[in-house]
Amino acid sequence: MKSFRWAEPKSVEQAVALLAAGQGKTYLMSGGTDLLGQLKEGIIEADVVVDLAAIPGLSDIRKDKDGLKIGALTTIAELASDPAAGQDYPGLRRAGSVIASPQLRNMGTVGGNICQRPRCWYFRNAGIICFKKGGDRCFAFEGRNKYHAIFGGSPCYIVYPSDLAPMLLALDAVVAIATPQGERTLPLGKFYALPDVDVQRENVLAPGELVREVRLPPPAKGARSAYLKLEERGAWDFALVSCAVAASGPARSPSSLRIAMGGVAPIPWRLSGVEAALKGKSLTDAAIRTAVRAALKEAVPLSENGYKSALVETAVSRAVLSIA
Amino acid sequence: MKTDDIIEDGNLDYLRDAMGAEPTGQEQPPTPPAEFRWVGWPVPRVDGRLIVTGRAKYIHDLSFEGMLHARILRSPYASAEIVSLDTTAAEALPGVMGVLKLKEGRVKYEGEQVAAVAAVDETTADTAIELIKVEYKELPHVISAEAAMAEGAPRVQDAPNVQKFNEYTRGDIDQGFASAEVTLERTYRTRFEIHHPLETHASVAWWKDDELTVWDSTQAVHNTHDGLARMLNIPAGKLRVICQYMGGGFGSKLGANEHTAAAARLSQLTGRPVKVALSRKENSLCVGNRPSTVITIKGGAKKDGTLTALHLKNYTSGGVGRGDRSSEPLRDIYKCPNVKVEEYTVFINAGGSRPTRAPGHVQGTFALEGFMEEFAGELGMDPLELRRKNYSTSNLGQTGNPYSSKGLDECYTLGAEKIGWAKRNKKPGAAPGTKKRGLGMATQIWWGAGTPGTAAEVKVHPDGSVEAICGTQDIGGGTRTFMATVTADTLGLEPKDITVKLGDTTYPWAPNSGGSQTAPSVAPAIRDAALKAADWLKELAAKKLKIPAAGIVIAGGKLFDKASPEKSIAFADCLRDQYREAVFQGLRGDLPAGFAYNSFGAHFAEVEVDTETGQVKVLRVAAAHEIGRVLNRLTAESQVAGGITQGLSAGLFEERVTDEYSGKMLNTNLEDYKIATAEDMPEMTFLFVDKPDPRINNLGDKGLGEPPRIPSTAAIANAVYNAIGVHLREIPMTPDRVLKALAAKEAGS
C-alpha cells in the first residue's frame, strides 16, 4: 500500500475544499470498511485521505415535520436501532440490520454505504484492469458472472451492492450534497448512474462534492415498508437479489407502491413497470408474478446468473405480500 | 457457575456434579470409565484460558529484537516464462537487508514464488517487492480440468495432463454386473476447496552461529524439521523447529514450506531473525487446496439390496499437484464382492493440492453415499437398510482382515433414533409446499490407528512436580489436555499438576498431526511412560510403607495400601530423598497383526429447502462416532462440531472460483470465498459409542481428527435429495444449482 497524506477537516466546508483542491487523488473516509479494503488490495492509490470523523453534526438522525434526516456519518448499527427510523420506516431498519456483520455495521456508515464501490471480483482484483479501472473489457461478461447484473449491464455488469440504496429508493429518499457552492439535493433515483453514462463511476457526484445527509419524506397515512434479502449464507453476504417495497393506502390495493431491487443491476433498480401493472389491482401472488414476469422480459442474463430471474419473481412476490 | 469460573477455580469436579442435572448439550450423558478420574470425562482445555485471553503466542504474534520482515514476489500469471528478473532497485532501497531470486524459467501457476526480500519493516518489504522488475512471456494456460483434458490443450507439466494414478480390482466386475437385478450409474462433482486456517501460514527463521531455529505455524514439527534440512541441505542436528501455538491447518501445514526455506536463507544472509507471514490471498493461491473430483459410480445389486458390483471412475485435479485418491470408502465400507476402481489425475495451471481434512474420503464419501441414497430410491428400499444389508465386518479393500473393533452399527442406531429417521419422507420430494424438509445420512470410514514408534517422556522431579513431554504439536484438538489427563490419571494426580511440553523437535519423536493420528499415537506413548513412572513410584512407596509394591494403589495424590488405605504416603513425600529427576521413556507399541484398525461414524441431517429461492438451511445434525475410547468428551464434541461446520460449509458455500481467460483466482478472500457463519449452523448432537478397542493400544483410543468431516457434506446432500426429490450430485449446493436441479426435474417429469 502506498503512503498517503491524512486530513481531518473540522467542517463540511473544509472537507469540500480539500476535495476541490485536487491535490492528487483524494478519497473520503467515514467508517473505512470499503476504503481500507480498496487501498490495501491496491485497487486504488490515494494521495490524500480525508477523514470525516471530526466533523460535528454528521451523525445525527433527526425527525421533524419534513420527515427524517439521516446524517451521512450515522453508523448502520445506529440506523438499525433508531426508534424513529424503525417506527416509520420498518423496511429501512430491516435493510440496516441485514447488512454484513455486527462489526461492519458498527463501523460502516449510511453515507459510505450508499457511496460504496462495487464488489465485482474482477474490479476487486488488483491484477485485472477492467472497464471500471480504465481497461478495455468487462471480464464478467464472458467470464464468471453468477453474482452479476441481469438489468442495465452494458458495458459493465456490476451490481450495486448496497442494501440501503434500494430501500431508500423505494422510500423516495433525497440526498443532500455539499458542494463548493453550497448545498444541492437530488432524489436518490437520480443519484446513481448506469455504466453507459460513466463506466468508472456509480453515481453523479462531481469532484468536490460529498453526501452530507439522506432525507426521507414523512410517512403517508398507512405507510409501510419491507426489505427482503436473498443471500447464499446467513450473514456477511451481499444480496444475490433483494427487494425493497414501500406502500401506503389500503392494504390489498395500495394507493402508492414503490419497488426497488438490489443485486440485479449496476444501480438500485426500480421496477416501475411492475408498480404500474399493479396499480389499482388487488395484490395477489398470481398478479404480482405476472407483472414481474413481464418486467423480466427486459432482463439480459449472462451465462451463470439466469437464476436471478427466478429470485426476482419470488423476492418481489414475498416482499409485496408481506406488507399487503 | 460459568465456564469461566470453572477454569479460574480449577474446580473440575463441578462438571461432574453438573453432568447429571444439566448435560452440556449432548443428549447422551457420558459414562466415563470408573478407572479414570479425568480420561473420558469432559475436561476443559488446560491452555484454554491462555488462548481465549490472547496470551498464547501464535507464530503471527512472535517478534524478536532486530527481526526482519520477508515478503515473497509471486507470479501473477498462471503460465509464463520468466524472461528476466532484475532485483537491483529493490536491493538499493534503504531498509532492504536481503533479496533472493527464487525462480527462473517457467512458472506454472498464479502465486508461484519468484523472489523474496527481507526488510526492516513490512512497508519497506512491500515497497521493495514492487521494485523488482520481472519480464514475463505469457504462455497458454488451462484452468479447468475440462479444458486440460481437451485435445491439444497446453501441457501443464512435461507429461500429458491426464495421468492414471490408481487402479484396483476385487472379484470380477463383469460377473458382478451380470448377476445384478438392478443397476444404476451416477456422476458426482466436487469443486476445489481452500483450507483457510484462521492463522495463515507463517514462520520465523533465525540462523545464528551455524544453528538454525525455526518457529513455524505447523501441524508437524518433526516433518518440517526433516523437510527443511533437506531443502536447505544442512545437518538436521543443527536445526530446531518449534511450534507452541498455531491457528489451524486442516492438512495445509503438514511439512516444510518454500516460504520458510526462503526466510531461512534470508536469515543466513542477514544474520537476523526473519519473519514471513502469508496474506490471505497467498493462502488462497499457493499453500494447497482440496482437489476437485468428477466421480462416476456404477453399481449393481439384487432386488433385496445385496450389492453385486461397484465400479468407480474418478477424474480428479490437484492443480500442478496430484488429485485425491477417492475410492477408499467405496472399496471398504460395503461387503461388495466385485469392485473396480480407475482414478486419473488432471493437471491444471493452479497451485498444487495438499491433504485436506480427510483427503479423498470427503469427495469419495459424497459420491458413494450419494449413490447409495439414490440406489436405495431405485431399489425402493430405506437407505439405512440398504447400508445395513451390505455391512462388512472385515476390511475388504486393503487387507481382508477383520476389524479389531467396529461400532458402525451402533452409530447407525444412535443417529437414526436421534434424528427421527422413521419420520423421513418415504418418497423423496413428497413433502408439500415450497419449504420442503428432508432427512439424509451418510457413513464414514477412516484410519486413525496411530503410529507405532511414537515416543514420549514423563519426568518426575524430587519436589514431586511432573512433566509430560512429547515432540508432537497441538493443532487445536486438545493434545496438551490429554497429555495432562493421561499422565494425571496414571500417577494419581490432577491435570494442573502436570507440566506439558510439546511442539519442539528437541523432544521425543511424534508423527505429524494429520490423518487423525495424534491422540492414538501420543496418548499411548504418554501412558506407557507414566505407567513406568508409576511402577517406580510404587517401589519407592513400598520401601517407605514397608509393604509389597504389588498391593500399592496410586490415586488422589497419594500412594496407599489397597488392603489398608490408612497406610499411605503423599506423592511428593515419596520423592523427597531423590537428588535427581527420574526420566521415563514411553513408546506407542506396534499394532497387533491380523486385524484392521479403522474408525467409523454416521451423520444424520435434517434440512429445509426453499424451492423458490434454492436456499438450503440445515436444521439439525446428529453425529455418531465410534473412535474406541473417547479421551475427553469436551474436546471430542468440539472436534465433531468443527467437522460438521466444515462439511456444511463445503456442502453449501465453499468453492474456489477461477477465471479461464485471465487464469486468475477470483475469490482470494474470505468475503468471496464463503465459509459458514454462526447463523448457518444447525442444532448439533454429539453421540459416541465410546468402547475401548481391545488391542489397538494401551488406552483403546482411535483418532477423531478427520472422521467428523467425512460424512457431514454427504448427509446434508442426501437430506436435500430427500427433501426435494432430486440429488444435486454437485457441491456446493448454492441457490443457482438447487434451482437448476429443480428446473431439470420439472422438465423431466
Side-chain angles (χ1 to χ4, degrees):
Chain A
M1 183 172 61
K2 195 173 142 272
S3 296
F4 49 80
R5 283 179 295 146
W6 181 260
E8 287 182 7
K10 300 291 184 287
S11 68
V12 170
E13 290 69 30
Q14 282 181 8
V16 167
L18 280 163
L19 280 179
Q23 300 181 333
K25 288 178 186 162
T26 304
Y27 291 91
L28 291 179
M29 170 158 149
S30 48
T33 57
D34 185 11
L35 184 77
L36 295 190
Q38 293 182 61
L39 289 170
K40 286 180 174 177
E41 292 296 323
I43 312 304
I44 54 171
E45 284 192 349
D47 295 305
V48 183
V49 170
V50 179
D51 180 23
L52 301 176
I55 302 177
L58 283 185
S59 55
D60 301 341
I61 300 181
R62 285 168 293 133
K63 184 184 175 179
D64 60 24
K65 63 177 176 43
D66 298 328
L68 197 71
K69 296 185 171 66
I70 308 164
L73 259 62
T74 306
T75 68
I76 306 296
E78 286 163 351
L79 175 69
S81 61
D82 184 77
Q87 193 187 335
D88 294 341
Y89 315 95
L92 187 59
R93 175 169 60 187
R94 177 72 188 162
S97 66
V98 296
I99 289 172
S101 66
Q103 293 96 324
L104 288 163
R105 293 196 289 274
N106 287 338
M107 291 304 294
T109 63
V110 172
N113 186 276
I114 64 169
C115 293
Q116 66 183 297
R117 303 303 313 275
R119 308 306 305 187
C120 168
W121 45 27
Y122 293 100
F123 171 67
R124 294 273 165 173
N125 188 320
I128 292 174
I129 308 301
C130 65
F131 275 140
K132 215 164 230 330
K133 291 184 282 191
D136 60 2
R137 61 182 280 144
C138 170
F139 287 72
F141 180 63
E142 289 182 321
R144 306 306 302 269
N145 49 41
K146 75 177 280 198
Y147 300 122
H148 287 76
I150 57 171
F151 289 114
S154 183
C156 158
Y157 288 80
I158 63 146
V159 294
Y160 200 67
S162 167
D163 284 306
L164 293 184
M167 193 66 241
L168 290 169
L169 180 59
L171 290 168
D172 207 8
V174 166
V175 185
I177 298 165
T179 80
Q181 293 77 39
E183 184 180 292
R184 70 175 177 125
T185 57
L186 262 184
L188 192 70
K190 297 202 163 132
F191 178 72
Y192 293 106
L194 282 168
D196 60 4
V197 176
D198 180 351
V199 74
Q200 295 196 41
R201 298 159 47 76
E202 296 81 45
N203 61 46
V204 298
L205 283 177
E209 293 189 334
L210 68 86
V211 171
R212 72 179 299 162
E213 198 167 83
V214 175
R215 294 174 188 160
L216 292 173
K221 199 168 165 53
R224 51 204 185 270
S225 59
Y227 185 72
L228 186 132
K229 180 179 184 180
L230 298 177
E231 301 163 275
E232 284 188 325
R233 63 179 168 187
W236 189 32
D237 213 355
F238 289 93
L240 296 172
V241 164
S242 67
C243 180
V245 289
S248 59
R252 279 279 157 179
S253 64
S255 48
S256 149
L257 175 67
R258 291 169 65 96
I259 306 171
M261 308 299 294
V264 298
I267 59 173
W269 194 253
R270 185 95 180 268
L271 290 183
S272 314
V274 176
E275 294 168 9
L278 292 174
K279 198 159 182 73
K281 289 228 178 77
S282 177
L283 294 180
T284 62
D285 182 56
I288 298 165
R289 283 177 188 271
T290 304
V292 176
R293 277 187 208 125
L296 282 165
K297 286 186 182 139
E298 289 169 35
V300 185
L302 304 171
S303 57
E304 297 179 337
N305 68 359
Y307 71 102
K308 285 195 175 187
S309 293
L311 296 190
V312 168
E313 189 184 312
T314 297
V316 175
S317 171
R318 288 185 185 177
V320 171
L321 289 177
S322 77
I323 57 165
Chain B
M1 198 188 284
K2 297 189 187 98
T3 315
D4 204 30
D5 301 323
I6 303 166
I7 298 169
E8 185 71 279
D9 298 341
N11 179 8
L12 303 174
D13 287 339
Y14 159 75
L15 276 174
R16 272 184 279 175
D17 296 342
M19 270 188 318
E22 196 186 9
T24 56
Q26 70 272 33
E27 293 294 314
Q28 170 210 26
T31 49
E35 73 266 37
F36 293 130
R37 232 191 123 196
W38 310 103
V39 171
W41 296 88
V43 180
R45 291 167 197 260
V46 295
D47 50 1
R49 196 170 182 83
L50 275 182
I51 291 170
V52 299
T53 55
R55 281 178 291 159
K57 294 285 178 226
Y58 289 75
I59 305 304
H60 276 246
D61 297 323
L62 296 181
S63 184
F64 297 98
E65 182 83 32
M67 187 175 81
L68 303 177
H69 295 267
R71 285 283 193 272
I72 314 283
L73 177 69
R74 298 181 180 281
S75 168
Y77 299 110
S79 179
E81 188 79 27
I82 297 174
V83 178
S84 67
L85 173 56
D86 179 2
T87 57
T88 323
E91 281 159 35
L93 184 71
V96 172
M97 309 298 283
V99 180
L100 292 177
K101 292 180 181 177
L102 298 170
K103 187 79 192 174
E104 48 189 27
R106 194 175 154 202
V107 286
K108 294 175 180 172
Y109 61 93
E110 183 193 14
E112 189 167 355
Q113 287 197 157
V114 174
V117 302
V120 290
D121 56 38
E122 294 167 86
T123 312
T124 308
D126 281 333
T127 310
I129 284 292
E130 283 172 24
L131 291 174
I132 296 174
K133 291 191 194 79
V134 192
E135 191 190 334
Y136 295 97
K137 180 178 168 238
E138 268 191 86
L139 300 170
H141 57 247
V142 279
I143 290 302
S144 67
E146 293 79 7
M149 289 166 75
E151 205 167 319
R155 276 191 179 184
V156 174
Q157 307 285 16
D158 299 329
N161 288 341
V162 182
Q163 305 268 329
K164 191 173 203 172
F165 73 104
N166 185 35
E167 51 189 341
Y168 168 81
T169 0
R170 165 165 98 225
D172 181 337
I173 195 75
D174 296 331
Q175 186 80 42
F177 281 114
S179 64
E181 292 168 337
V182 184
T183 60
L184 185 72
E185 182 177 318
R186 291 283 182 259
T187 298
Y188 300 84
R189 289 180 166 79
T190 67
R191 306 287 172 163
F192 284 97
E193 292 163 29
I194 307 292
H195 303 77
H196 279 313
L198 202 53
E199 184 187 36
T200 59
H201 289 59
S203 318
V204 180
W206 196 349
W207 208 314
K208 199 165 75 172
D209 303 330
D210 274 341
E211 296 202 359
L212 173 62
T213 305
V214 171
W215 291 262
D216 193 30
S217 181
T218 180
Q219 297 173 243
V221 287
H222 281 283
N223 300 65
T224 301
H225 183 266
D226 178 63
L228 279 178
R230 291 169 199 267
M231 286 162 87
L232 299 166
N233 195 21
I234 56 168
K238 299 280 186 195
L239 172 63
R240 178 180 177 194
V241 177
I242 300 171
C243 175
Q244 287 304 305
Y245 290 91
M246 59 87 74
F250 311 115
S252 67
K253 296 178 180 170
L254 282 171
N257 282 292
E258 288 178 336
H259 58 259
T260 310
R265 287 280 178 225
L266 287 165
S267 178
Q268 186 184 31
L269 206 65
T270 59
R272 290 165 69 165
V274 175
K275 181 176 190 173
V276 60
L278 300 198
S279 66
R280 188 55 67 187
K281 182 175 181 178
E282 289 175 297
N283 230 253
S284 304
L285 290 173
C286 49
V287 284
N289 51 66
R290 182 194 297 286
S292 65
T293 62
V294 179
I295 299 174
T296 301
I297 297 178
K298 186 181 176 193
K302 299 286 188 191
K303 279 180 184 157
D304 69 356
T306 306
L307 290 171
T308 60
L310 285 172
H311 181 192
L312 177 147
K313 206 171 189 179
N314 177 20
Y315 288 92
T316 172
S317 177
V320 296
R322 210 192 68 183
D324 269 351
R325 196 173 62 181
S326 306
S327 52
E328 303 287 349
L330 178 127
R331 284 166 55 172
D332 287 344
I333 295 180
Y334 300 113
K335 195 172 59 186
C336 179
N338 307 299
V339 174
K340 185 174 180 189
V341 167
E342 303 161 81
E343 300 196 78
Y344 300 86
T345 196
V346 184
F347 293 118
I348 62 170
N349 290 108
S353 63
R354 287 188 180 178
T356 312
R357 198 173 179 187
H361 276 237
V362 162
Q363 303 97 312
T365 299
F366 173 71
L368 173 69
E369 289 297 90
F371 177 83
M372 290 298 278
E373 206 82 4
E374 292 201 74
F375 207 16
E378 203 70 16
L379 288 157
M381 278 182 85
D382 178 323
L384 183 53
E385 275 319 301
L386 177 62
R387 289 167 171 104
R388 282 195 158 120
K389 181 96 193 164
N390 295 285
Y391 199 81
S392 173
T393 53
S394 57
N395 185 308
L396 298 170
Q398 292 176 62
T399 56
N401 286 332
Y403 293 114
S404 177
S405 58
K406 178 172 177 177
L408 179 59
D409 44 358
E410 286 169 86
C411 292
Y412 284 154
T413 305
L414 287 169
E417 188 183 299
K418 181 62 210 165
I419 205 79
W421 187 251
K423 286 181 286 185
R424 63 188 288 281
N425 302 316
K426 298 295 178 284
K427 185 177 181 321
T434 58
K435 294 201 171 170
K436 293 182 186 294
R437 291 192 175 192
L439 297 181
M441 58 86 54
T443 310
Q444 163 258 317
I445 187 172
W446 182 249
W447 297 284
T451 304
T454 304
E457 284 176 3
V458 167
K459 263 187 205 175
V460 183
H461 293 274
D463 65 352
S465 58
V466 174
E467 295 175 60
I469 306 167
C470 181
T472 181
Q473 47 281 314
D474 193 336
I475 67 163
T479 310
R480 276 190 180 82
T481 307
F482 78 65
M483 283 173 68
T485 57
V486 168
T487 310
D489 260 329
T490 313
L491 297 179
L493 299 171
E494 298 191 11
K496 68 176 171 54
D497 300 328
I498 314 298
T499 301
V500 175
K501 294 187 171 172
L502 53 66
D504 192 324
T505 51
T506 58
Y507 301 149
W509 185 87
N512 66 50
S513 290
S516 312
Q517 58 181 331
T518 307
S521 301
V522 176
I526 287 281
R527 172 77 167 162
D528 187 43
L531 281 169
K532 288 171 183 163
D535 285 346
W536 176 72
L537 283 156
K538 285 177 188 173
E539 292 291 345
L540 293 182
K543 280 182 198 142
K544 293 188 188 293
L545 296 173
K546 299 187 173 45
I547 54 169
I552 290 180
V553 174
I554 183 164
K558 299 183 292 195
L559 294 99
F560 56 89
D561 187 349
K562 198 176 179 182
S564 40
E566 71 283 359
K567 282 187 201 164
S568 79
I569 181 168
F571 185 91
D573 289 342
C574 263
L575 295 156
R576 298 240 182 258
D577 47 8
Q578 300 293 314
Y579 285 90
R580 52 160 289 186
E581 68 205 37
V583 183
F584 300 92
Q585 279 150 354
L587 269 187
R588 193 254 184 261
D590 285 335
L591 287 158
F595 291 91
Y597 300 92
N598 292 83
S599 63
F600 299 92
H603 283 198
F604 291 75
E606 180 177 25
V607 303
E608 182 175 272
V609 183
D610 187 328
T611 57
E612 290 186 325
T613 65
Q615 290 165 308
V616 176
K617 177 80 187 158
V618 184
L619 304 173
R620 292 188 298 145
V621 172
H625 288 276
E626 191 275 290
I627 50 161
R629 181 195 299 282
V630 175
L631 288 183
N632 182 345
R633 177 64 68 136
L634 212 52
T635 51
E637 289 186 357
S638 171
Q639 193 68 20
V640 177
I644 295 170
T645 308
Q646 281 190 318
L648 180 151
S649 191
L652 300 186
F653 311 120
E654 292 186 38
E655 175 177 6
R656 183 180 81 184
V657 180
T658 42
D659 179 54
E660 193 74 46
Y661 177 81
S662 65
K664 291 182 190 299
M665 179 174 169
L666 297 176
N667 54 348
T668 56
N669 56 58
L670 295 180
E671 172 195 322
D672 293 317
Y673 185 91
K674 296 181 186 181
I675 293 174
T677 68
E679 289 280 337
D680 301 299
M681 292 311 297
E683 178 190 317
M684 295 182 279
T685 313
F686 314 111
L687 306 159
F688 294 97
V689 175
D690 201 359
K691 286 181 187 156
D693 182 285
R695 53 187 77 77
I696 193 167
N697 59 47
N698 56 19
L699 285 164
D701 71 308
K702 308 176 188 176
L704 184 61
E706 265 100 346
R709 172 65 187 90
I710 296 172
S712 44
T713 305
I716 291 165
N718 289 344
V720 169
Y721 166 60
N722 185 248
I724 64 175
V726 53
H727 204 292
L728 260 67
R729 297 182 204 127
E730 183 172 15
I731 50 168
M733 295 177 285
T734 45
D736 53 329
R737 290 194 177 119
V738 174
L739 291 173
K740 197 171 150 195
L742 283 165
K745 182 196 169 203
E746 191 98 333
S749 62

